[in-house]
Amino acid sequence: GSTPKLEESDVVEVLNNTSNYIKQRTSKNILFNIENKNQSEIKAQLNVPLFEWAIENICRNAIDAMNGKGSLTIAVFEQEDNVYIDITDTGKGIQKSNFKTVFEPGFTTKERGWGLGLSLTKRIIENYHNGKISVLQSEINKGTTFRIVLNK
């Protein structure tokens, strides 16, 4: 498709909107938390619909990994020229050997699933937003943190 247009957007507002959308469609046993560590507006160049989809996909995977019960925290902060978004769940975790593999098309731990969500998320973040996405840390049966780094 054509290259999506990026516009300066309030990252915190976009994360709040996406979180609220998911919250309305998710078990009440999932506790959502958004932390703006800078306590101020954080701007970045975004294609909002694509970025929202990428965040929603990571959150839906996290909710699946928690079997519908646990906490999901989205922490956002900026340092120098970058915006950092850490999405942390209390789910089943990812083996260290799969930290890179989870982004490959076809990788899935679900009985039903194509294994395309995280590969598309990576493409949206890295190819369209010139950012980076990675598994920051994960511990089996404790949870996982994905990190997105965007240029301001």
Side-chain angles (χ1 to χ4, degrees):
S2 60
T3 304
K5 284 197 167 91
L6 302 179
E7 296 177 351
E8 187 172 81
S9 305
D10 181 348
V11 178
V12 177
E13 182 182 331
V14 172
L15 292 171
N16 277 318
N17 292 342
T18 306
S19 171
N20 288 333
Y21 174 84
I22 298 166
K23 216 184 292 188
Q24 293 170 1
R25 290 155 180 79
T26 303
S27 162
K28 299 287 181 246
N29 295 323
I30 300 287
L31 192 76
F32 283 83
N33 185 24
I34 295 202
E35 299 173 358
N36 176 352
K37 297 190 178 204
N38 292 88
Q39 298 294 315
S40 62
E41 194 174 68
I42 298 175
K43 298 275 194 178
Q45 295 291 316
L46 300 177
N47 176 285
V48 172
L50 282 177
F51 186 75
E52 285 176 331
W53 185 92
I55 297 298
E56 181 181 349
N57 184 66
I58 294 169
C59 291
R60 290 209 182 281
N61 283 350
I63 291 163
D64 288 348
M66 295 185 283
N67 294 319
K69 185 175 184 177
S71 69
L72 183 64
T73 301
I74 302 174
V76 59
F77 61 98
E78 60 184 339
Q79 285 180 330
E80 297 166 19
D81 296 333
N82 295 316
V83 174
Y84 296 86
I85 302 161
D86 290 344
I87 303 171
T88 303
D89 66 58
T90 56
K92 61 186 174 204
I94 299 169
Q95 296 280 351
K96 196 165 188 77
S97 59
N98 287 332
F99 279 20
K100 291 205 183 332
T101 315
V102 295
F103 296 106
E104 292 176 6
F107 181 89
T108 185
T109 58
K110 300 175 191 174
E111 284 184 29
R112 294 173 181 250
W114 294 78
L116 295 175
L118 286 176
S119 66
L120 286 171
T121 297
K122 182 178 176 78
R123 187 169 164 197
I124 289 168
I125 298 301
E126 296 190 353
N127 295 5
Y128 297 146
H129 289 88
N130 299 314
K132 293 250 179 279
I133 183 169
S134 61
V135 177
L136 183 63
Q137 63 91 27
S138 187
E139 198 174 330
I140 299 302
N141 298 321
K142 297 258 196 236
T144 300
T145 300
F146 281 87
R147 171 165 281 179
I148 296 172
V149 182
L150 300 171
N151 301 318
K152 285 206 260 181

